[in-house]
Amino acid sequence: MAHRRAGSAWPVLNAVTRELDRIARSAPSLEPVRMGRIVTCDGGLIEVSGLNAPIGTLCRAEAPSGEPVPAAEVVGFRGGRSLMMLLGDTVRLQPGALVRAEGHPGVAKVGEEYLGRAVDGQGLPIDGGPPVKARHDWLLGGRREGALERASVIEPFDCGIRAINALATMGVGQRLGVIAGSGVGKSVLLDTMVSGADCDVAVVALIGERAREVSDFVYRHMRGERKRRTVIVAVPSDHAANLRLRGAQLATSLAEYFRSQGKRVLLVMDSLTRVAHAAREIALSLGEAGAARGYPPSALATITKLIERAGNSASSGGSVTGLYSVLADGDDTSDPVVDTARAILDGHIVLSRDIAQRGHYPAIDIPSSLSRVMADVAEPAHRLHAGELRGLIAAHEANRDFLMMGAYQQGTDPQLDRALAMQEQIRTFLSQEAGKPVSLGASTAALAALMGDAAG
């Protein structure tokens, strides 16, 4: 009996020991607290004198009424004063208000505690649950690593979209962009890919989107078994620019942390263009000149850094497969953000407004879409069938106007004749009901059956 009582005391003693260790690590600092004062406020940018805090530090002003004031992030210096951008509204700010630094500059808390949770750009819960008490520190800007740390993409990734699985096959650790104008179906496509993706953890960043879309996404994905492997970081469009940027950085940091644990991570960012808009607002506020269509160089560099943080890890064996939606403003695919993203990504899926207006989902422009890693992850027979089908689709699209006018005479082009004969089968193959994923195996089998029947 005595041995049994002693054994039952061990969990309590272990818990007490862990708590004492935690208290020892978080012992309060006895150093004097430096404080500054607000000198000017111009929109969301404030100048503070007397507080020399490093860039990336979160600070908070003290309102005379005692009401909470949003945190501000140090983004630069000017004339001996710290430049800060608020993470919220400027309401209740007053000249001369005291400002103090809090937390560690440029560092976020990450960990498994985020699984099954929906948070904002500061890691604060938006799902009505308790605070997320993560314990691991991670640099928001990421850790710069050598080029050889990025292992090659050699394994296929099942994204759940039949047209992409078959004709632009993704790989584990690939960075893929979904490029389209507004209202063409980017978010719906990414939603289906999250549902059907084969991964250990899914980190979804909804940056600059409508609050209704955030609510709908949380309702659909944060339930059942799927909830246990999903993290949502959401910062709607009406939030401060630097909070939107921090949301994208926090989501990428979480993906990097899970990759360091050897997990296969799917990172979805909707949208990369809104991140670039946030970086542009910050850069212009600091006086940086606009270059490419109003985008300062630092804004375009921001999205390049975010994309480069995804990929395979040679040391941990984990991976971050990145899916980034890219909004083509005015359907202009030569927009600076689109051009920059397309140059650094490992492939892109282009959605066509013309195809969407025909009632076809997903509205993927197959000839304009490609995966730069498909040759490394797909079987030879699969690549052969995919090349044949892409050729048929391209031939039909290139001659669409002649066909509509009735100017084409059958027998002139054998490839176009074959494409015309298979139009209904091809349309059925490329169509897919929203929210109904199709596996990679089923996609390649359907492609082989389609092209086999056509050859026969």
Side-chain angles (χ1 to χ4, degrees), residues 64-287:
S65 60
E67 296 180 359
V69 175
E73 180 183 4
V74 179
V75 294
F77 310 105
R78 181 185 298 155
R81 295 172 178 172
S82 297
L83 303 179
M84 304 182 186
M85 289 202 74
L86 285 171
L87 300 180
D89 298 325
T90 57
V91 179
R92 297 187 301 274
L93 281 185
Q94 294 183 355
L98 291 173
V99 181
R100 70 170 67 206
E102 57 182 29
H104 301 285
V107 174
K109 293 289 186 180
V110 298
E112 287 79 3
E113 294 81 1
Y114 277 96
L115 293 174
R117 302 301 306 274
V119 299
D120 65 7
Q122 299 183 76
L124 303 177
I126 61 173
D127 53 8
V132 179
K133 297 182 179 179
R135 297 167 295 169
H136 303 282
D137 290 334
W138 203 271
L139 293 176
L140 274 173
R143 298 169 178 170
R144 191 178 298 277
E145 298 172 330
L148 297 183
E149 168 61 17
R150 286 288 173 266
S152 301
V153 178
I154 57 175
E155 184 181 351
F157 180 85
D158 186 355
C159 70
I161 303 297
R162 180 168 49 231
I164 298 176
N165 279 339
L167 303 178
T169 311
M170 293 180 61
V172 175
Q174 181 181 4
R175 293 85 51 88
L176 186 79
V178 179
I179 302 172
S182 58
V184 184
K186 298 184 304 300
S187 298
V188 177
L189 181 64
L190 291 176
D191 191 298
T192 304
M193 294 171 86
V194 172
S195 300
D198 179 17
C199 61
D200 299 322
V201 176
V203 180
V204 182
L206 303 176
I207 309 299
E209 297 301 307
R210 293 178 288 271
R212 177 191 58 79
E213 289 185 349
V214 174
S215 178
D216 291 347
F217 194 95
V218 171
Y219 175 78
R220 287 192 301 271
H221 293 274
M222 302 302 275
R223 54 171 60 185
E225 188 64 29
R226 192 185 307 166
K227 177 178 179 179
R228 300 178 185 177
R229 66 177 180 94
T230 305
V231 182
I232 296 178
V233 181
V235 188
S237 57
D238 60 340
H239 286 59
N242 53 334
L243 187 58
R244 280 177 270 148
L245 181 56
R246 287 181 71 92
Q249 292 174 330
L250 174 60
T252 307
S253 296
L254 286 167
E256 288 178 320
Y257 166 76
F258 288 117
R259 177 179 63 191
S260 70
Q261 307 301 305
K263 297 183 182 297
R264 291 167 48 131
V265 183
L266 173 65
L267 171 63
V268 177
M269 190 167 294
D270 187 14
S271 81
L272 197 64
T273 305
R274 305 299 187 196
V275 177
H277 289 174
R280 178 177 61 183
E281 289 182 42
I282 296 172
L284 294 177
S285 298
L286 293 174

Side-chain angles (χ1 to χ4, degrees), residues 392-411:
L392 294 176
I393 296 170
H396 184 270
E397 289 298 320
N399 294 278
R400 186 176 182 82
D401 291 339
F402 289 102
L403 295 171
M404 295 295 291
M405 292 186 299
Y408 175 73
Q409 185 175 359
Q410 192 168 0

